[in-house]
Amino acid sequence: MSTLLVIAKSPVAGRVKTRLTTRFTPQQAADLAAAALADTLDAVLATTAHRRVLVLDGRPGPWVPAGIEVAPQCAGGLDVRLAAAFALADGPALLIGMDTPQVTPGLLAAGLDFEEADARYGPADDGGFWALGLADPDPALLLGVPMSVAHTGEVQRRRLTGAGLAVRDLPGLCDVDTPADAQRVAAAAPWTRFAALHSDLCAVAR
């Protein structure tokens, strides 16, 4: 009973992608977040899984497509919220965020392939991780990992190997956090909603 988990915030101006506001308005940053989330959910829907769950901070809206369950995020730090997301799964699970609109169904399928692995780990360029897959989800594997720091990924991966898990890496991806990240991801994934909107916003700014 494989589960795809997407942890995300509702794309509300002033609450998401605030680091993008050095170049874009709060509403434009929220629109970029909405586009990134839509691209992510498209890839999730195109990937074979028994369940697809959006673990959401905020209110769902009409932007949640059919076929996606919605569960509220719990309170607490990010490690607690990620651990609680894995607790929603009844079997093998892959967790991703909303910051990688360039993700593809092929990458997600690889993240759910545990034939020769106990865990799948997708490093992010900022030192964190964009994906974490567990054949037998144990929320304790995330609790206490320092989040949103340069060594988050290193600590998380060491937690997995320290528990005796066979870890197989996924390709590294760039999270969209800053305007430079947004430019890089849009250029790398021109087929996405995110890239199209980014191009339009940049054209208006010029």
Side-chain angles (χ1 to χ4, degrees):
M1 295 291 291
S2 59
T3 301
L4 268 170
L5 301 160
V6 180
I7 191 155
K9 286 184 178 181
S10 295
V12 176
R15 292 195 68 244
V16 292
K17 295 295 166 207
T18 55
R19 292 170 66 188
L20 293 181
T21 57
T22 57
R23 181 170 187 184
F24 304 102
T25 68
Q27 185 58 59
Q28 289 171 337
D31 291 343
L32 285 167
L37 182 54
D39 288 325
T40 301
L41 295 179
D42 280 350
V44 166
L45 286 168
T47 305
T48 300
H50 290 91
R51 295 176 66 201
R52 302 169 181 85
V53 185
L54 176 63
V55 188
L56 189 65
D57 175 3
R59 293 179 179 274
W63 42 266
V64 179
I68 301 289
E69 300 176 43
V70 179
Q73 284 186 35
C74 71
L78 183 55
D79 63 320
V80 173
R81 288 179 280 136
L82 296 182
F86 272 110
L88 297 171
D90 298 322
L94 176 70
L95 182 145
I96 63 170
M98 61 184 287
D99 298 333
T100 51
Q102 71 273 44
V103 73
T104 64
L107 284 173
L108 297 181
L112 283 169
D113 180 3
F114 298 106
E115 186 173 348
E116 298 181 355
D118 302 310
R120 286 287 193 168
Y121 175 79
D125 289 358
D126 61 2
F129 56 91
W130 69 268
L132 181 62
L134 297 171
D136 184 14
D138 178 0
L141 291 168
L142 293 102
L143 294 174
V145 173
M147 295 289 168
S148 303
V149 294
H151 58 284
T152 291
E154 177 186 349
V155 175
Q156 183 62 75
R157 198 180 192 287
R158 192 163 60 239
R159 178 72 70 84
L160 301 174
T161 56
L165 302 184
V167 181
R168 299 291 180 269
D169 289 341
L170 298 167
L173 293 181
C174 176
D175 281 345
V176 175
D177 291 318
T178 68
D181 297 333
Q183 179 69 41
R184 179 180 172 189
V185 170
W191 64 88
T192 59
R193 290 183 177 89
F194 179 85
L197 177 59
H198 183 270
S199 177
D200 289 345
L201 293 177
C202 290
V204 170
R206 287 196 294 269

